[in-house]
């Protein structure tokens, strides 16, 4: 509030409220690229003045809306330090960048040297970035990405000194925030779930779409990418009479072509100028939803823009360039333009770089539409184009006197394709005739608008249609066997995306598997009648060998392990399942003290458990569940795991039940999901899968939810609940008879390797801590095994498991895990030596 008072008092005293500081004042209070060293104080003083009345009002509103909450969060001292430091750092960064690059960026540096900065926007951006250091991982990342995306967009496309100053202040704030909290700044690669990764790629595409439009709307855009606005057009309408006057003078040939282009961007056809941006924004929404068609569409559009950028910029360098519209991009004879090679290459590379990034992220977009969706879409678009073409030709003949010159049918037919193309693709081709009457203008401009608007709506509808399940027929067949036969507590995981189904000769059993680098890795054991298990294991093994694969039964029960052992296979324990029988469950006695405390504290805090199905839950609940999950993922230094560990995608199943811990304000504190366990046509139990808690919420919320779920399922007369398996973790062998199994030295060595891997991953994923947490419920421990036919295949099996659980693991992260395993091994050897 003190800043606002000083802000307005200085403005009034200097008579700057209406039109900014007078020229004689400006050199002392406005920050520029030349402020140092003669006017060093201006880098800080610039925050206390604005350009005009709108600047004063806008600055005041931003300070009141943004800075007051930030000051409360950070404290007055930290806020003041952040405001001063980021304001000064931002101006110094902008000036330093200008000094360092003026020899390379040519026109950008010349234009920027004449610009100045006034207002509080730089330190607002800086303090906002600094404040994110005290936020949760999810919102810290989201706010930083959104704000940095906006600042980078403005810097690259608008490119003024103020834009660079705000970007510099934001970067300084991001580094300063941890220091104000007593921590060291850390630059680490952010970890994202698939959902968040889709959002980030969609955001990148959206920024690339909006940027050229921003450059076209900003009157004096000088950024290095501002040139890309010419791929669309300079959207300024030209009067037809003015066009005729310009083109009547042969010496004004270049101006005549520019006016031709601007006539195409009449007031009603601005939409046609930004068709690529419009399409990219629609496709960005498809990317956010994980749609494969949107991924392919972005590649096509970016490839087209890359080609257009290349041909346009090559035309600039040709001798005839100055006589074309493209020649406006670079003209060394005009102020504000340059032939610096870097200024030409950077815009050319932007669509190419986005193309490469989207291409590399293919695995994030696996969702396909129902069969025939895009065939129908193509037919609808073609039919629409044909209908509008007939309307244009027929209407043009009727309204022919409204055009100059009057077109014949052949002229209208030849001009029809241009009505559907974005203006940037036909910019250097002068129109054969021009509309002059209102009806003629509506026809001339309206055909393209209607076509792309309707096409956009049809495309958007295709993104919201339910996705096509993979192996739809096989999945339905497997689901029928799962519900009527016998399976394990993880059998419902066989219905998850990414699995392929093999059916036995009898058709009564199936195995879900995925082939990775020649290893057929199963999701649990066979599903079907229990008495057929040995035969199914044998048959599936023969099926794999006939296809040249090495079979590996993963996360299986002792019964399936024994069936594989009779074939001469080896096995090793890979996880520990915790099961709670419900017939005698009662949270009484001293050993359940922690559970009763969680239940009692939840009641005192007004927190209750509520069952929902994620697909039909309200938008408010879905949004909170997603935010809790993303916060959990963002807190990790490694990617989210998959395979037998479900995420948000696996919640979107009408048969999966979610139990939420909710307070009176409808805030979700934690969420758990439960998978049904079918046996002979009825649900006999439920398996815990998804388990997330809000970092700032009710601490024992998960204990509360598990206990509540157990009592609820007991009331439904279920036999048991499984708290699921904890990979790479196990309890002492004395707790159950099947904890270990005899095997060759190779299996024992693999067991030791898995132990070391579990220790290495413990700080990141906490599997052993998870197993210890589940021990609060005093469950029955059931070991889960991996069975394999040949020890020589163990390296390939290890690679397949890694890629199944961590499909997005980078090379650096893989080396980090390997280093941790080796460190654990060295440590264990040292401890053994001391003993």
């Amino acid at each position: 509030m003190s800043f606002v008072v000083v802000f307005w008092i200085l403005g009034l005293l200097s008579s700057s409220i209406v039109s900014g500081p007078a020229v004689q004042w400006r050199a002392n209070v406005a920050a520029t690229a030349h402020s140092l060293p003669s006017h060093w104080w201006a880098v800080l003083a610039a925050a206390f003045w604005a350009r005009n009345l709108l600047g004063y009002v806008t600055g005041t509103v931003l300070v009141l809306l943004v800075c007051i909450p930030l000051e409360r969060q950070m404290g007055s001292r930290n806020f003041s330090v952040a405001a001063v430091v980021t304001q000064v750092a931002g101006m110094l960064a902008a000036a330093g960048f200008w000094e360092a690059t003026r020899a390379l960026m040519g026109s950008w540096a010349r234009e920027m040297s004449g610009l100045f900065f006034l207002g509080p926007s730089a330190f607002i951006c800086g303090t906002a970035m600094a404040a994110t250091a005290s936020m949760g991982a999810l919102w810290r990342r989201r706010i930083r990405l959104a704000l940095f995306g906006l600042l980078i967009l403005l810097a690259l496309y608008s490119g003024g000194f103020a834009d660079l100053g705000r970007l510099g202040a934001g970067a300084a704030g991001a580094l300063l925030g941890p220091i104000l909290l007593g921590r060291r700044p850390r630059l680490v690669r952010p970890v994202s779930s698939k959902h968040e990764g889709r959002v980030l790629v969609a955001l990148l595409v959206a920024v690339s779409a909006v940027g050229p439009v921003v450059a076209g709307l900003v009157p004096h855009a000088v950024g290095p990418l501002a040139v890309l606005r010419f791929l669309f057009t300079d959207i300024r309408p030209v009067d037809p009479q003015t066009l005729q006057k310009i083109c009547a003078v042969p010496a004004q040939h270049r101006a005549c072509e520019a006016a031709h282009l601007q006539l195409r961007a009449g007031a009603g056809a601005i939409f046609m100028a930004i068709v690529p941006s419009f399409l990219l924004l629609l496709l960005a929404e498809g990317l956010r939803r994980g749609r494969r068609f949107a991924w392919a569409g972005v590649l096509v559009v970016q490839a087209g823009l890359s080609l257009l950028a290349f041909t346009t910029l090559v035309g600039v360098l040709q001798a005839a360039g100055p006589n074309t519209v493209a020649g406006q991009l670079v003209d060394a004879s005009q102020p504000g333009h340059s032939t610096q090679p870097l200024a030409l290459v950077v815009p050319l590379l932007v669509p190419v770089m986005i193309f490469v990034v989207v291409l590399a992220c293919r695995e994030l977009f696996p969702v396909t539409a129902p069969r025939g969706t895009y065939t129908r879409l193509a037919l609808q678009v073609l039919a629409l184009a044909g209908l509008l073409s007939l309307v244009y030709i027929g209407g043009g003949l009727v309204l022919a006197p409204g055009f100059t010159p009057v077109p014949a049918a052949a002229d209208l037919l030849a001009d029809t394709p241009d009505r559907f193309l974005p203006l940037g693709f036909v910019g250097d081709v002068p129109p054969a005739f021009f509309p002059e009457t209102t009806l003629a203008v509506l026809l001339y401009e309206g055909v393209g608008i209607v076509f792309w608007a309707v096409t956009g709506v049809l495309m958007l509808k295709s993104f919201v249609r339910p996705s096509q399940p993979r192996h739809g027929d096989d999945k339905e067949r497997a689901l029928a066997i799962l519900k009527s036969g016998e399976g394990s507590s993880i059998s419902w995981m066989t219905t998850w995306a990414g699995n392929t189904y093999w059916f036995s000769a009898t058709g009564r059993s199936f195995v879900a598997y995925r082939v990775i680098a020649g290893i057929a890795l199963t999701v649990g054991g066979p599903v079907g009648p229990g008495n057929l298990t040995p035969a199914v294991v044998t048959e599936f093994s023969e099926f794999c060998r006939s296809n040249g694969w090495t079979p590996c039964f993963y996360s299986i029960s002792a019964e399936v392990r024994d069936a594989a052992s009779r074939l001469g296979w080896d096995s090793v324990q890979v996880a520990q399942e915790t099961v709670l029988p419900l017939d005698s469950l009662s949270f009484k006695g001293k050993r359940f003290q922690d559970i009763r405390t969680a239940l009692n504290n939840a009641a005192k805090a007004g927190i209750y458990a509520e069952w929902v199905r994620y697909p039909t839950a309200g938008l408010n609940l879905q949004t909170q569940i997603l935010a809790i999950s993303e916060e959990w993922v963002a807190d990790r230094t490694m990617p989210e795991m998959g395979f037998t560990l479900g995420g948000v995608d696996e919640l979107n199943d009408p048969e999966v039940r979610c139990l939420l811990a909710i307070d009176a304000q409808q805030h979700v504190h934690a969420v758990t999901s439960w998978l049904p366990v079918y046996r002979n046509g009825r649900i006999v139990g439920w398996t815990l899968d998804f388990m997330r808690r809000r970092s700032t919420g009710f601490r024992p919320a998960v204990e509360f939810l598990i206990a509540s779920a157990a009592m609820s399922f007991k009331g439904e007369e279920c036999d048991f609940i499984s708290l699921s398996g904890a990979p790479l973790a196990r309890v002492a062998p004395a707790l159950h008879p099947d904890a270990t199994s005899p095997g060759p030295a190779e299996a024992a060595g693999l067991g030791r390797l898995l132990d070391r891997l579990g220790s290495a991953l413990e700080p990141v994923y906490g599997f052993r801590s998870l197993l210890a947490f589940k021990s609060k419920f005093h469950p029955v421990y059931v070991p889960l095994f991996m069975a394999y036919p040949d020890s020589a295949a163990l390296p390939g099996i290890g690679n397949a498991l890694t890629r199944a659980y961590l499909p997005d693991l980078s090379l650096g992260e893989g080396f980090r895990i390997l280093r941790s395993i080796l460190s654990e091994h060295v440590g264990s050897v040292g401890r053994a030596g001391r003993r």
Side-chain angles (χ1 to χ4, degrees):
M1 190 62 71
S2 300
F3 172 84
V4 173
V5 174
V6 174
F7 188 47
W8 283 90
I9 289 176
L10 290 177
L12 290 170
L13 292 177
S14 60
S15 302
S16 304
I17 298 297
V18 176
S19 57
V23 176
Q24 60 270 24
W25 273 80
R26 189 176 298 166
N28 293 303
V29 300
T32 69
H34 310 286
S35 292
L36 298 177
S38 58
H39 296 86
W40 57 268
W41 58 86
V43 297
L44 180 60
F48 293 89
W49 275 268
R51 291 174 176 268
N52 48 40
L53 179 60
L54 179 61
Y56 277 96
V57 173
T58 304
T60 301
V61 171
L62 287 175
V63 169
L64 294 178
L65 292 180
V66 178
C67 292
I68 290 180
L70 292 179
E71 185 178 9
R72 290 175 180 171
Q73 177 183 339
M74 302 173 66
S76 297
R77 175 182 170 276
N78 284 348
F79 176 83
S80 300
V81 171
V84 172
V85 171
T86 57
Q87 169 70 25
V88 174
M91 298 304 104
L92 294 180
F97 183 83
W98 173 82
E99 184 67 33
T101 61
R102 60 178 178 171
L104 295 174
M105 298 307 296
S107 64
W108 187 21
R110 284 200 300 274
E111 289 281 357
M112 195 166 58
S113 66
L115 301 177
F116 60 90
F117 175 84
L118 289 171
S121 58
F123 80 74
I124 292 175
C125 294
T127 52
M129 283 294 189
T132 60
S134 60
M135 299 179 182
L138 176 64
W139 285 105
R140 177 172 64 247
R141 182 175 62 184
R142 286 182 172 179
I143 292 175
R144 287 183 176 181
L145 286 173
L147 191 52
F148 266 132
L150 175 63
L151 296 178
I152 292 172
L153 182 149
L154 292 174
L156 292 178
Y157 286 97
S158 178
F161 184 82
D163 301 305
L164 290 178
R166 285 186 285 265
L167 178 58
L175 295 174
L176 179 63
I179 296 175
L180 294 176
L181 296 176
R183 304 196 306 260
R184 295 176 59 184
R186 292 187 308 153
L187 297 177
V188 296
R189 187 180 77 88
V191 177
S192 301
S193 66
K194 287 187 176 182
H195 279 271
E196 194 76 358
R198 292 168 185 170
V199 171
L200 299 184
V201 175
L203 178 63
L204 173 66
V205 172
V207 167
S208 73
V210 173
V213 180
V214 170
L217 296 176
V218 173
H220 304 291
V222 296
L225 303 187
V227 69
L228 289 179
R229 69 183 183 270
F230 289 97
L231 298 185
F232 300 87
T233 190
D234 193 2
I235 46 180
R236 292 173 296 179
V238 173
D239 181 78
Q241 288 72 27
T242 303
L243 175 70
Q244 291 180 355
K245 292 179 181 179
I246 294 174
C247 295
V249 181
Q252 295 182 340
H253 173 66
R254 176 182 172 182
C256 177
E257 286 196 357
H260 279 306
L261 176 60
Q262 291 162 13
L263 180 68
R264 293 171 180 261
I270 290 178
F271 175 78
M272 285 299 294
I274 59 172
V275 161
S277 289
F278 173 72
L279 287 177
L280 285 175
L281 286 175
L282 288 176
L283 293 170
E285 171 61 16
L287 293 179
R288 188 184 69 83
R289 296 173 179 269
R291 295 289 179 153
R292 178 58 58 87
F293 178 83
W295 173 82
V298 169
L299 291 181
V300 171
V301 174
Q302 292 294 352
L305 290 178
S306 300
L307 179 62
L308 180 61
F310 178 77
T311 55
T312 302
L313 295 177
V314 165
V316 171
L317 302 177
Q318 295 176 343
N323 295 323
T324 66
V325 174
Q328 298 178 68
L329 292 173
V330 175
D331 186 348
S333 66
Q334 293 187 8
H337 297 280
S338 170
T339 55
Q340 293 288 344
L342 187 59
L344 299 178
V345 172
V346 171
L348 173 62
L349 292 180
V350 170
V352 177
M353 288 189 295
I354 295 175
F355 178 92
V356 172
V357 169
V358 175
L359 181 64
C361 296
R362 179 179 183 273
E363 296 302 321
L364 293 177
F365 310 103
V367 184
T368 57
R371 186 176 300 173
T373 295
Y374 292 109
T375 300
R376 287 192 298 272
L377 176 62
L379 293 175
Q380 289 170 340
V381 170
L382 289 174
L384 177 64
L387 177 62
L388 290 175
S389 298
L390 293 176
V391 169
Y392 178 65
I393 295 172
L397 293 174
V398 174
L399 301 174
F403 292 89
T404 300
V406 176
D411 298 324
L412 290 167
L413 180 62
D415 188 63
T416 297
D418 286 359
R419 299 301 96 227
F420 300 99
L421 291 175
L423 296 182
F425 288 81
V426 293
D428 287 325
V429 181
F433 48 86
F434 312 101
E436 296 194 3
T437 65
T438 302
L439 291 178
V441 169
L442 290 175
L443 179 66
Y444 188 80
E445 298 179 349
V447 167
I449 296 174
V450 171
F451 174 77
W452 288 110
V454 174
T455 299
V457 171
L458 294 174
M459 186 186 302
L460 193 60
K461 286 178 63 179
S462 75
F463 295 151
V464 300
R465 293 190 66 185
S467 60
Q468 177 71 35
R470 294 183 178 181
H471 312 290
D473 295 339
D474 285 351
K475 182 175 178 179
E476 291 300 322
R477 183 181 173 188
L479 196 58
I481 295 174
L482 188 155
K483 290 183 177 182
S484 61
E486 300 176 27
S488 68
S489 57
I490 69 167
S491 291
W492 193 261
M493 298 176 186
T494 62
T495 66
W496 291 354
N499 294 325
T500 303
Y501 301 100
W502 169 87
F503 297 93
S504 65
T506 63
R508 299 174 61 191
S509 302
F510 76 89
V511 173
Y513 68 100
R514 54 186 70 186
V515 178
I516 302 175
I519 304 297
L521 195 62
T522 73
V523 182
V527 180
N531 61 329
L532 297 180
T533 295
V536 172
V537 170
T538 302
E539 191 178 346
F540 179 75
S541 174
E542 294 173 353
F543 164 76
C544 291
R545 293 186 185 281
S546 66
N547 283 279
W549 305 328
T550 299
C552 176
F553 279 95
Y554 183 77
S555 204
I556 57 176
S557 65
E559 291 75 17
V560 180
R561 178 205 60 180
D562 293 341
S565 296
R566 287 193 283 271
L567 297 177
W569 290 23
D570 297 325
S571 62
V572 65
Q573 184 180 341
V574 293
Q576 194 82 57
E577 184 181 11
T578 47
V579 177
L580 295 182
L582 296 180
D583 55 349
S584 59
L585 181 66
S586 176
F587 295 116
K588 296 179 180 180
K590 185 177 180 180
R591 63 177 186 163
F592 288 114
Q593 180 62 47
D594 290 344
I595 307 304
R596 290 199 305 275
T597 300
L599 292 169
N600 294 334
N601 288 344
K604 293 176 183 178
I607 294 174
Y608 60 94
E610 179 177 329
W611 286 108
V612 300
R613 308 274 182 168
Y614 185 82
T616 57
L619 180 60
N620 175 49
L621 295 180
Q622 286 186 347
T623 302
Q624 291 189 71
I625 292 171
L626 181 59
I628 291 172
S629 176
E630 295 298 344
E631 180 184 28
W632 184 89
V633 174
D635 249 347
R636 299 294 182 271
T637 57
M638 297 287 286
E640 184 178 21
M641 299 184 80
F643 191 37
T644 61
L645 299 172
V648 175
D649 286 338
E650 286 70 36
L651 296 184
N652 196 26
D653 183 334
E655 294 216 39
V656 173
R657 296 173 65 175
C658 294
L659 188 61
L660 312 180
I662 305 178
D663 61 23
Q665 288 74 40
Q666 290 295 295
H667 292 154
V668 179
H669 291 253
V671 55
T672 57
S673 74
W674 298 86
L675 312 178
V677 181
Y678 281 90
R679 195 159 295 159
N680 299 323
R682 64 178 285 262
I683 295 178
V684 296
W686 293 84
T687 299
L688 174 64
D689 177 37
F690 188 85
M691 185 169 58
R692 301 281 191 272
R693 181 181 69 84
R694 192 184 296 275
S695 61
T696 57
F698 180 59
R699 289 194 62 81
V702 176
E703 293 96 320
F704 164 69
L705 287 179
I706 293 176
S708 300
M711 300 310 296
S712 176
F713 290 136
K714 182 178 181 180
E716 297 175 14
E717 300 184 349
C718 293
D719 298 340
F720 67 91
I721 63 170
S722 169
L723 302 186
S724 197
L728 306 176
R730 52 184 170 177
V731 298
L735 292 178
H736 54 79
D738 287 325
T740 59
S741 59
E746 292 88 347
L750 178 60
R752 289 193 295 271
L753 177 62
L754 293 175
D755 284 339
R756 287 197 290 271
L757 180 59
S759 296
L761 293 179
E762 176 63 21
V764 181
Y765 296 109
F767 295 132
R768 296 181 177 183
S769 300
L770 178 62
L771 184 60
F773 164 79
K774 294 175 181 178
S775 68
K776 292 181 180 182
F777 296 89
H778 300 279
V780 174
Y781 294 98
V782 178
L784 297 177
F785 300 93
M786 178 180 75
Y788 49 96
D790 186 359
S791 296
L794 285 177
I797 292 173
N799 172 62
L801 282 170
T802 302
R803 291 169 60 181
Y805 273 112
L806 294 166
D808 301 319
L809 185 72
S810 68
L811 182 63
E813 290 163 342
F815 278 120
R816 195 184 314 158
I817 293 177
L818 180 60
R819 186 169 61 249
S820 299
I821 296 173
L822 294 177
S823 299
E824 176 67 20
H825 174 63
V826 172
S828 64
V829 171
R831 290 191 294 271
R834 287 193 296 272
R835 288 196 295 269

